[in-house]
Amino acid sequence: YYFPCQRWLAVEEDDGQIVRELVPVDEAFVKKDSENDGQSPATLGLEQKAKSTTYTVKVKTGDKKNAGTDANVFITLYGSKDDTGIVSLKASKINKNKFERGKVDEFTVESVDIGDLKKIKIGHDNKGNSTGWFLEWVEIDAPSLGQCLKFPCGRWLDKSEDDGAVERIIFPAKLQTVEYIPFVPYEITVYTSDIFGAGTDADVFIVLYGSDGICTQQKSLCLNKREQRMYFERNSVNQFIVELEDVGDIIEKIRIGHKGGGLNSGWHLDRVTIRRLLPNGK
């Protein structure tokens, strides 16, 4: 069994996770990749990502005295087929200090397909100076499933409050579930030109347009400033797997650009190729 990864396990990198689930790929694919020097070394990692489901997890800490926690918070998502295992919520995309009173924190959780989301378990390790936590709600958005579910809690996770539990199993509120057309993964390959000053450190974004006026949201290709510095160098090829609204079988045009700013924002773009990936990662 071959389990390539070729992705970060780091709080400050990629999606911020320090644990990854890996799915096996065909041996021939691994050998083909190692023999083909022209292929991006990240291809296998992208193959893994294309087979994964990405969840955006928002967590609301209550607006009560001492509601925030310094403890390490973890979550497990349970689906109709499988569960994610314990995932540490390490790097909030919104706040440097996470789980503060009255604040909403956002995290990215990736997993192999667990099916329809049925329940979650969320808790903390009760370590640190101020550990008690009042959890208002958790919201989980799964673009590839076309579902955004709300898990109301409104209780303490505190050894000295409520029933003394520091973890809880929560079910979604059916009336608060939002259904939409599922997103699909696109493989986007960007070629930066081989001329002086061609590279950019700016925040590059893309919009895809299908027929009948359908288009995707504007999506940044890099997740953080470090990726912006790493990618889009002169004469480079960068590949991304991006979950976006399904614009159908025909992409009529794309809009690609950047938000300027910084020392080296000017960019000479050679070309872009896009593949709409089918559910089996093909």
Side-chain angles (χ1 to χ4, degrees):
Y1 293 86
Y2 289 82
F3 293 89
C5 181
Q6 298 181 353
R7 292 181 63 189
W8 285 97
L9 285 79
V11 172
E12 300 84 13
E13 303 291 350
D14 203 333
D15 57 4
Q17 291 300 331
I18 54 172
V19 178
R20 298 214 173 277
E21 286 190 354
L22 303 177
V23 290
V25 300
D26 188 81
E27 180 185 359
F29 187 91
V30 179
K31 290 191 169 162
K32 178 188 79 178
D33 190 71
S34 60
E35 286 163 10
N36 186 353
D37 293 332
Q39 205 165 15
S40 161
T43 305
L44 289 170
L46 290 168
E47 194 81 4
Q48 291 276 3
K49 192 168 183 179
K51 291 179 181 177
S52 299
T53 302
T54 303
Y55 302 92
T56 298
V57 178
K58 290 184 177 174
V59 180
K60 171 73 186 290
T61 299
D63 192 5
K64 290 175 176 280
K65 188 181 177 185
N66 300 323
T69 186
D70 296 331
N72 296 304
V73 174
F74 57 82
I75 191 168
T76 305
L77 280 52
Y78 294 89
S80 53
K81 298 180 187 172
D82 202 350
D83 65 71
T84 60
I86 296 170
V87 178
S88 293
L89 299 180
K90 291 271 188 193
S92 171
K93 290 188 163 183
I94 301 173
N95 306 304
K96 192 169 185 182
N97 292 328
K98 53 193 185 294
F99 310 121
E100 297 284 309
R101 174 179 174 173
K103 295 287 179 68
V104 176
D105 291 290
E106 184 179 313
F107 306 87
T108 300
V109 174
E110 260 183 35
S111 169
V112 293
D113 183 17
I114 61 170
D116 293 330
L117 202 48
K118 298 295 185 185
K119 64 180 180 180
I120 62 171
K121 178 160 64 174
I122 189 165
H124 61 78
D125 62 3
N126 205 43
K127 290 180 180 171
N129 294 325
S130 117
T131 57
W133 184 35
F134 190 89
L135 172 62
E136 197 71 59
W137 49 256
V138 178
E139 182 184 277
I140 299 179
D141 188 13
S144 63
L145 302 176
Q147 271 193 336
C148 185
L149 296 95
K150 196 78 163 268
F151 295 80
C153 181
R155 294 182 70 179
W156 286 97
L157 285 77
D158 188 339
K159 291 219 163 172
S160 57
E161 297 278 356
D162 203 331
D163 59 359
V166 293
E167 64 176 42
R168 300 202 178 278
I169 289 174
I170 315 173
F171 294 89
K174 286 190 176 168
L175 293 175
Q176 291 179 278
T177 298
V178 177
E179 305 265 353
Y180 55 92
I181 296 169
F183 282 27
V184 296
Y186 290 90
E187 179 192 272
I188 299 172
T189 309
V190 180
Y191 299 79
T192 298
S193 304
D194 185 15
I195 62 170
F196 180 74
T200 184
D201 292 338
D203 183 4
V204 173
F205 61 81
I206 195 166
V207 182
L208 276 51
Y209 293 84
S211 52
D212 302 323
I214 300 169
C215 72
T216 68
Q217 61 184 281
Q218 181 173 299
K219 180 81 171 178
S220 290
L221 294 178
C222 291
L223 294 165
N224 52 43
K225 284 194 161 52
R226 188 183 180 284
E227 286 194 1
Q228 288 173 30
R229 290 194 297 271
M230 279 173 54
Y231 298 142
F232 312 118
E233 298 290 304
R234 173 180 173 172
N235 194 30
S236 67
V237 180
N238 302 117
Q239 206 167 57
F240 307 88
I241 300 288
V242 182
E243 281 187 350
L244 290 167
E245 296 91 339
D246 189 353
V247 297
D249 292 335
I250 297 168
I251 300 174
E252 293 204 335
K253 66 176 182 179
I254 66 169
R255 184 168 170 262
I256 189 165
H258 62 76
K259 297 175 182 177
L263 294 172
N264 306 302
S265 62
W267 183 35
H268 197 287
L269 171 63
D270 185 65
R271 66 190 189 277
V272 179
T273 65
I274 298 178
R275 276 202 312 156
R276 180 170 172 263
L277 300 173
L278 299 173
N280 60 2
K282 294 284 169 58

